[in-house]
Amino acid sequence: MRYYISRIYGTLIGVPAAIVAWVTSLYAFDIAFIYDFGIGIATFFLLYVPTQLLTSKQYLKEIGLTRRDFRFVRHQLSNAQAKIRKLLRAFVNVRSIKDFKQVNEIHRLARTIYFTVKQQPQKFFIVDSFFYSHLDNALNLIESYTRLSRMPGKTKEEKQKLEQTRITLDEVKRTLVADLKRLNEDDYNRLDVEMEMNRIEQKRK
C-alpha cells in the first residue's frame, strides 16, 4: 500500500541527515563516541517521524480515512490473511475433485476480496461483513467438512450432514461473490460513465 511508501520517504531523509549529524559530532565535538552515535540516532528520528507523518497524512486524506480507521483496517487485513492461509491448508484434506473445485473457488474469492481491500483500504467498510463473519463462516465450514469427510465408517445420517454442508458451502460461495460485486460496483459505475463520455465525444467529433 502507498501508506508504507511514507516510511521509505522518512528513511531516505532521516538516514543521510543522521550520518551527517553523526560525522559532524564526531569531528566537531570532543565527546564520547556513544554520544556521537546518540546524536545521529536522535537526528534520524527528528526528521523521519515528521516526514512519515506528513506523507502518510496526505495519502490518508486522499482515501478518506483517519489514521485510527486505517490502523483498524490494517489489523482486520492481518487477521484475514491468517484465515486465508488456513483456507489454503484445507486443500490437504480434500479427497475429491468436486470438493477441491469448491474449496478452490471459495479460496480464490476470499483472496481477491482481501487483496482488493489491501490495495484500496477505504473499501473495507463496503464489505466489512466479509471480515467479520463471511470469511470465518467459510473457514469453519471448510475445516469441519474436509476433516469429517476423511473419517471412515460414516453412517447414513453423517453422510447426509456432509452433503448438506456441501450445499451450505455453495451458499457461502454465492455470498462471497456478492461481496466481490459490491466491492467492484463503484468501479463498474465509473466505467459506465467513462464509456458514455467517450460515446458523446465520438458523436461530437
Side-chain angles (χ1 to χ4, degrees):
M1 287 185 284
R2 279 178 51 199
Y3 180 86
Y4 298 106
I5 296 177
S6 64
R7 296 178 178 177
I8 297 175
Y9 287 147
T11 301
L12 289 175
I13 292 176
V15 169
I19 293 174
V20 170
W22 173 67
V23 172
T24 301
S25 176
L26 190 65
Y27 290 101
F29 305 112
D30 187 18
I31 55 178
F33 176 82
I34 189 65
Y35 294 121
D36 295 325
F37 185 74
I39 289 173
I41 295 295
T43 303
F44 170 80
F45 283 106
L46 283 173
L47 290 175
Y48 172 84
V49 173
T51 302
Q52 193 274 331
L53 289 176
L54 179 62
T55 52
S56 63
K57 183 179 180 180
Q58 292 173 342
Y59 167 67
L60 293 174
K61 186 177 180 180
E62 285 180 22
I63 64 175
L65 290 180
T66 64
R67 198 174 298 276
R68 181 179 180 181
D69 286 340
F70 180 80
R71 287 172 180 166
F72 173 77
V73 172
R74 187 170 59 181
H75 177 69
Q76 294 299 321
L77 284 169
S78 178
N79 290 341
Q81 185 181 36
K83 294 170 186 176
I84 291 172
R85 286 173 179 166
K86 287 184 178 180
L87 273 179
L88 185 61
R89 289 198 292 269
F91 280 102
V92 177
N93 295 325
V94 172
R95 287 296 178 268
S96 72
I97 295 176
K98 184 178 180 180
D99 290 344
F100 180 88
K101 182 178 179 181
Q102 187 179 50
V103 174
N104 180 60
E105 288 175 347
I106 291 174
H107 177 258
R108 181 173 55 83
L109 286 165
R111 273 175 52 87
T112 302
I113 294 170
Y114 166 79
F115 280 112
T116 301
V117 174
K118 185 177 181 180
Q119 293 298 322
Q120 303 175 71
Q122 69 273 22
K123 289 189 172 184
F124 169 84
F125 299 100
I126 298 176
V127 289
D128 53 353
S129 55
F130 166 80
F131 293 90
Y132 295 147
S133 61
H134 299 169
L135 180 57
D136 287 319
N137 190 30
L139 176 61
N140 292 336
L141 281 171
I142 287 174
E143 285 186 330
S144 297
Y145 175 76
T146 54
R147 177 175 56 83
L148 292 173
S149 62
R150 296 177 60 196
M151 298 295 177
K154 290 183 285 291
T155 64
K156 182 179 179 181
E157 290 77 12
E158 290 172 339
K159 290 179 180 179
Q160 289 176 342
K161 287 182 180 179
L162 287 175
E163 183 60 30
Q164 184 59 47
T165 303
R166 185 185 289 113
I167 295 172
T168 303
L169 284 173
D170 283 333
E171 295 173 356
V172 168
K173 185 179 72 173
R174 287 193 289 270
T175 299
L176 297 186
V177 169
D179 286 338
L180 187 58
K181 285 183 178 179
R182 282 204 312 277
L183 201 58
N184 293 326
E185 186 175 4
D186 288 343
D187 294 330
Y188 280 111
N189 289 337
R190 280 195 294 270
L191 188 61
D192 288 337
V193 172
E194 291 295 331
M195 288 190 296
E196 182 62 27
M197 292 293 291
N198 183 66
R199 282 194 292 267
I200 294 172
E201 182 66 19
Q202 293 300 322
K203 288 181 180 179
R204 186 184 67 81
K205 290 181 178 180

